mmCIF file of all heavy atoms in Angstrom:
data_model
loop_
_atom_site.group_PDB
_atom_site.id
_atom_site.type_symbol
_atom_site.label_atom_id
_atom_site.label_comp_id
_atom_site.label_asym_id
_atom_site.label_seq_id
_atom_site.Cartn_x
_atom_site.Cartn_y
_atom_site.Cartn_z
ATOM 1 N N ARG Z 1 94.377 120.740 116.505
ATOM 2 C CA ARG Z 1 93.194 120.190 115.821
ATOM 3 C C ARG Z 1 93.419 120.112 114.315
ATOM 4 O O ARG Z 1 93.149 119.086 113.683
ATOM 5 C CB ARG Z 1 91.966 121.053 116.134
ATOM 6 C CG ARG Z 1 90.670 120.552 115.483
ATOM 7 C CD ARG Z 1 89.513 121.483 115.776
ATOM 8 N NE ARG Z 1 89.156 121.461 117.194
ATOM 9 C CZ ARG Z 1 89.455 122.422 118.064
ATOM 10 N NH1 ARG Z 1 90.146 123.484 117.657
ATOM 11 N NH2 ARG Z 1 89.095 122.334 119.323
ATOM 12 N N LEU Z 2 93.909 121.201 113.747
ATOM 13 C CA LEU Z 2 94.174 121.222 112.306
ATOM 14 C C LEU Z 2 95.274 120.240 111.947
ATOM 15 O O LEU Z 2 95.144 119.457 110.985
ATOM 16 C CB LEU Z 2 94.555 122.644 111.877
ATOM 17 C CG LEU Z 2 94.944 122.848 110.415
ATOM 18 C CD1 LEU Z 2 93.811 122.438 109.488
ATOM 19 C CD2 LEU Z 2 95.334 124.307 110.172
ATOM 20 N N PHE Z 3 96.366 120.253 112.709
ATOM 21 C CA PHE Z 3 97.477 119.341 112.448
ATOM 22 C C PHE Z 3 97.041 117.880 112.534
ATOM 23 O O PHE Z 3 97.367 117.066 111.659
ATOM 24 C CB PHE Z 3 98.600 119.603 113.446
ATOM 25 C CG PHE Z 3 99.572 118.465 113.586
ATOM 26 C CD1 PHE Z 3 100.506 118.197 112.596
ATOM 27 C CD2 PHE Z 3 99.540 117.642 114.713
ATOM 28 C CE1 PHE Z 3 101.391 117.128 112.721
ATOM 29 C CE2 PHE Z 3 100.424 116.587 114.847
ATOM 30 C CZ PHE Z 3 101.351 116.319 113.848
ATOM 31 N N GLY Z 4 96.314 117.523 113.584
ATOM 32 C CA GLY Z 4 95.919 116.123 113.783
ATOM 33 C C GLY Z 4 95.082 115.591 112.646
ATOM 34 O O GLY Z 4 95.302 114.468 112.164
ATOM 35 N N ASN Z 5 94.125 116.384 112.182
ATOM 36 C CA ASN Z 5 93.263 115.927 111.095
ATOM 37 C C ASN Z 5 94.021 115.783 109.782
ATOM 38 O O ASN Z 5 93.831 114.802 109.049
ATOM 39 C CB ASN Z 5 92.089 116.900 110.918
ATOM 40 C CG ASN Z 5 90.999 116.701 111.934
ATOM 41 O OD1 ASN Z 5 90.130 115.847 111.779
ATOM 42 N ND2 ASN Z 5 91.033 117.481 112.997
ATOM 43 N N MET Z 6 94.897 116.732 109.478
ATOM 44 C CA MET Z 6 95.619 116.673 108.212
ATOM 45 C C MET Z 6 96.712 115.613 108.249
ATOM 46 O O MET Z 6 96.967 114.940 107.236
ATOM 47 C CB MET Z 6 96.211 118.047 107.880
ATOM 48 C CG MET Z 6 95.169 119.131 107.665
ATOM 49 S SD MET Z 6 93.814 118.632 106.561
ATOM 50 C CE MET Z 6 94.718 118.233 105.084
ATOM 51 N N PHE Z 7 97.360 115.428 109.399
ATOM 52 C CA PHE Z 7 98.377 114.392 109.513
ATOM 53 C C PHE Z 7 97.754 113.003 109.370
ATOM 54 O O PHE Z 7 98.298 112.125 108.684
ATOM 55 C CB PHE Z 7 99.078 114.509 110.870
ATOM 56 C CG PHE Z 7 100.222 113.554 111.057
ATOM 57 C CD1 PHE Z 7 101.458 113.815 110.492
ATOM 58 C CD2 PHE Z 7 100.070 112.387 111.781
ATOM 59 C CE1 PHE Z 7 102.528 112.943 110.658
ATOM 60 C CE2 PHE Z 7 101.112 111.504 111.957
ATOM 61 C CZ PHE Z 7 102.351 111.778 111.392
ATOM 62 N N ALA Z 8 96.594 112.816 109.996
ATOM 63 C CA ALA Z 8 95.901 111.529 109.878
ATOM 64 C C ALA Z 8 95.470 111.276 108.440
ATOM 65 O O ALA Z 8 95.579 110.150 107.933
ATOM 66 C CB ALA Z 8 94.691 111.507 110.809
ATOM 67 N N GLY Z 9 94.977 112.305 107.758
ATOM 68 C CA GLY Z 9 94.581 112.143 106.364
ATOM 69 C C GLY Z 9 95.747 111.774 105.477
ATOM 70 O O GLY Z 9 95.621 110.943 104.566
ATOM 71 N N GLU Z 10 96.909 112.369 105.740
ATOM 72 C CA GLU Z 10 98.117 112.049 104.972
ATOM 73 C C GLU Z 10 98.522 110.589 105.185
ATOM 74 O O GLU Z 10 98.912 109.890 104.244
ATOM 75 C CB GLU Z 10 99.244 112.985 105.385
ATOM 76 C CG GLU Z 10 100.455 112.950 104.468
ATOM 77 C CD GLU Z 10 101.508 113.973 104.863
ATOM 78 O OE1 GLU Z 10 101.652 114.240 106.076
ATOM 79 O OE2 GLU Z 10 102.193 114.498 103.976
ATOM 80 N N LEU Z 11 98.421 110.119 106.420
ATOM 81 C CA LEU Z 11 98.762 108.724 106.709
ATOM 82 C C LEU Z 11 97.827 107.759 105.990
ATOM 83 O O LEU Z 11 98.256 106.708 105.491
ATOM 84 C CB LEU Z 11 98.705 108.478 108.216
ATOM 85 C CG LEU Z 11 99.903 108.945 109.046
ATOM 86 C CD1 LEU Z 11 99.666 108.654 110.517
ATOM 87 C CD2 LEU Z 11 101.188 108.282 108.571
ATOM 88 N N VAL Z 12 96.542 108.108 105.932
ATOM 89 C CA VAL Z 12 95.587 107.240 105.233
ATOM 90 C C VAL Z 12 95.952 107.128 103.761
ATOM 91 O O VAL Z 12 95.911 106.036 103.173
ATOM 92 C CB VAL Z 12 94.149 107.766 105.411
ATOM 93 C CG1 VAL Z 12 93.179 106.991 104.515
ATOM 94 C CG2 VAL Z 12 93.708 107.656 106.864
ATOM 95 N N PHE Z 13 96.328 108.243 103.137
ATOM 96 C CA PHE Z 13 96.745 108.197 101.735
ATOM 97 C C PHE Z 13 97.981 107.311 101.554
ATOM 98 O O PHE Z 13 98.106 106.597 100.554
ATOM 99 C CB PHE Z 13 97.037 109.608 101.218
ATOM 100 C CG PHE Z 13 95.824 110.342 100.730
ATOM 101 C CD1 PHE Z 13 95.432 111.539 101.318
ATOM 102 C CD2 PHE Z 13 95.068 109.841 99.680
ATOM 103 C CE1 PHE Z 13 94.312 112.223 100.863
ATOM 104 C CE2 PHE Z 13 93.952 110.515 99.215
ATOM 105 C CZ PHE Z 13 93.563 111.709 99.814
ATOM 106 N N MET Z 14 98.896 107.348 102.520
ATOM 107 C CA MET Z 14 100.092 106.491 102.433
ATOM 108 C C MET Z 14 99.720 105.022 102.522
ATOM 109 O O MET Z 14 100.246 104.187 101.769
ATOM 110 C CB MET Z 14 101.071 106.852 103.557
ATOM 111 C CG MET Z 14 101.699 108.213 103.423
ATOM 112 S SD MET Z 14 102.819 108.556 104.806
ATOM 113 C CE MET Z 14 103.095 110.316 104.563
ATOM 114 N N LEU Z 15 98.818 104.687 103.427
ATOM 115 C CA LEU Z 15 98.399 103.294 103.577
ATOM 116 C C LEU Z 15 97.677 102.800 102.331
ATOM 117 O O LEU Z 15 97.847 101.655 101.904
ATOM 118 C CB LEU Z 15 97.507 103.150 104.808
ATOM 119 C CG LEU Z 15 98.180 103.421 106.152
ATOM 120 C CD1 LEU Z 15 97.165 103.365 107.284
ATOM 121 C CD2 LEU Z 15 99.309 102.429 106.406
ATOM 122 N N ILE Z 16 96.874 103.659 101.725
ATOM 123 C CA ILE Z 16 96.182 103.287 100.491
ATOM 124 C C ILE Z 16 97.194 103.068 99.365
ATOM 125 O O ILE Z 16 97.066 102.132 98.565
ATOM 126 C CB ILE Z 16 95.153 104.365 100.106
ATOM 127 C CG1 ILE Z 16 93.996 104.379 101.122
ATOM 128 C CG2 ILE Z 16 94.604 104.119 98.700
ATOM 129 C CD1 ILE Z 16 93.010 105.503 100.912
ATOM 130 N N ALA Z 17 98.218 103.939 99.310
ATOM 131 C CA ALA Z 17 99.254 103.784 98.283
ATOM 132 C C ALA Z 17 100.000 102.466 98.455
ATOM 133 O O ALA Z 17 100.384 101.822 97.463
ATOM 134 C CB ALA Z 17 100.232 104.955 98.350
ATOM 135 N N LEU Z 18 100.198 102.040 99.698
ATOM 136 C CA LEU Z 18 100.900 100.780 99.945
ATOM 137 C C LEU Z 18 100.088 99.579 99.459
ATOM 138 O O LEU Z 18 100.659 98.545 99.101
ATOM 139 C CB LEU Z 18 101.193 100.634 101.443
ATOM 140 C CG LEU Z 18 102.336 101.508 101.976
ATOM 141 C CD1 LEU Z 18 102.407 101.408 103.494
ATOM 142 C CD2 LEU Z 18 103.663 101.093 101.352
ATOM 143 N N MET Z 19 98.757 99.707 99.436
ATOM 144 C CA MET Z 19 97.934 98.620 98.897
ATOM 145 C C MET Z 19 98.293 98.341 97.443
ATOM 146 O O MET Z 19 98.448 97.189 97.024
ATOM 147 C CB MET Z 19 96.445 98.978 98.994
ATOM 148 C CG MET Z 19 95.883 98.998 100.391
ATOM 149 S SD MET Z 19 94.155 99.550 100.411
ATOM 150 C CE MET Z 19 93.383 98.337 99.319
ATOM 151 N N GLY Z 20 98.443 99.409 96.670
ATOM 152 C CA GLY Z 20 98.813 99.233 95.266
ATOM 153 C C GLY Z 20 100.203 98.667 95.105
ATOM 154 O O GLY Z 20 100.464 97.848 94.224
ATOM 155 N N ALA Z 21 101.139 99.088 95.978
ATOM 156 C CA ALA Z 21 102.503 98.574 95.895
ATOM 157 C C ALA Z 21 102.530 97.075 96.175
ATOM 158 O O ALA Z 21 103.221 96.315 95.495
ATOM 159 C CB ALA Z 21 103.391 99.317 96.891
ATOM 160 N N VAL Z 22 101.771 96.638 97.175
ATOM 161 C CA VAL Z 22 101.690 95.208 97.473
ATOM 162 C C VAL Z 22 101.036 94.456 96.324
ATOM 163 O O VAL Z 22 101.428 93.346 95.963
ATOM 164 C CB VAL Z 22 100.917 94.984 98.790
ATOM 165 C CG1 VAL Z 22 100.678 93.499 99.024
ATOM 166 C CG2 VAL Z 22 101.676 95.585 99.956
ATOM 167 N N GLY Z 23 100.048 95.078 95.694
ATOM 168 C CA GLY Z 23 99.370 94.444 94.569
ATOM 169 C C GLY Z 23 100.295 94.197 93.401
ATOM 170 O O GLY Z 23 100.286 93.122 92.794
ATOM 171 N N PHE Z 24 101.141 95.177 93.076
ATOM 172 C CA PHE Z 24 102.082 95.009 91.979
ATOM 173 C C PHE Z 24 103.169 93.990 92.310
ATOM 174 O O PHE Z 24 103.792 93.428 91.420
ATOM 175 C CB PHE Z 24 102.729 96.357 91.632
ATOM 176 C CG PHE Z 24 101.856 97.233 90.782
ATOM 177 C CD1 PHE Z 24 101.472 98.488 91.228
ATOM 178 C CD2 PHE Z 24 101.412 96.806 89.535
ATOM 179 C CE1 PHE Z 24 100.661 99.310 90.448
ATOM 180 C CE2 PHE Z 24 100.602 97.612 88.752
ATOM 181 C CZ PHE Z 24 100.222 98.858 89.201
ATOM 182 N N ALA Z 25 103.420 93.782 93.592
ATOM 183 C CA ALA Z 25 104.517 92.893 93.993
ATOM 184 C C ALA Z 25 104.102 91.433 94.060
ATOM 185 O O ALA Z 25 104.935 90.566 94.291
ATOM 186 C CB ALA Z 25 105.059 93.330 95.358
ATOM 187 N N SER Z 26 102.833 91.134 93.878
ATOM 188 C CA SER Z 26 102.366 89.752 93.985
ATOM 189 C C SER Z 26 101.537 89.381 92.760
ATOM 190 O O SER Z 26 100.930 90.239 92.124
ATOM 191 C CB SER Z 26 101.544 89.566 95.262
ATOM 192 O OG SER Z 26 100.413 90.412 95.254
#
């Protein structure tokens, strides 16, 4: 339970970070 919630939260932060990377690339 603890692992699943924290792993999912980490993935969301990665996806949000990729939004900025795509923004700078275009």
Side-chain angles (χ1 to χ4, degrees):
R1 181 183 293 104
L2 177 59
F3 161 74
N5 281 276
M6 297 312 301
F7 184 79
E10 192 176 33
L11 281 179
V12 171
F13 275 120
M14 292 179 192
L15 295 175
I16 292 174
L18 285 173
M19 290 176 58
V22 173
F24 280 121
S26 60

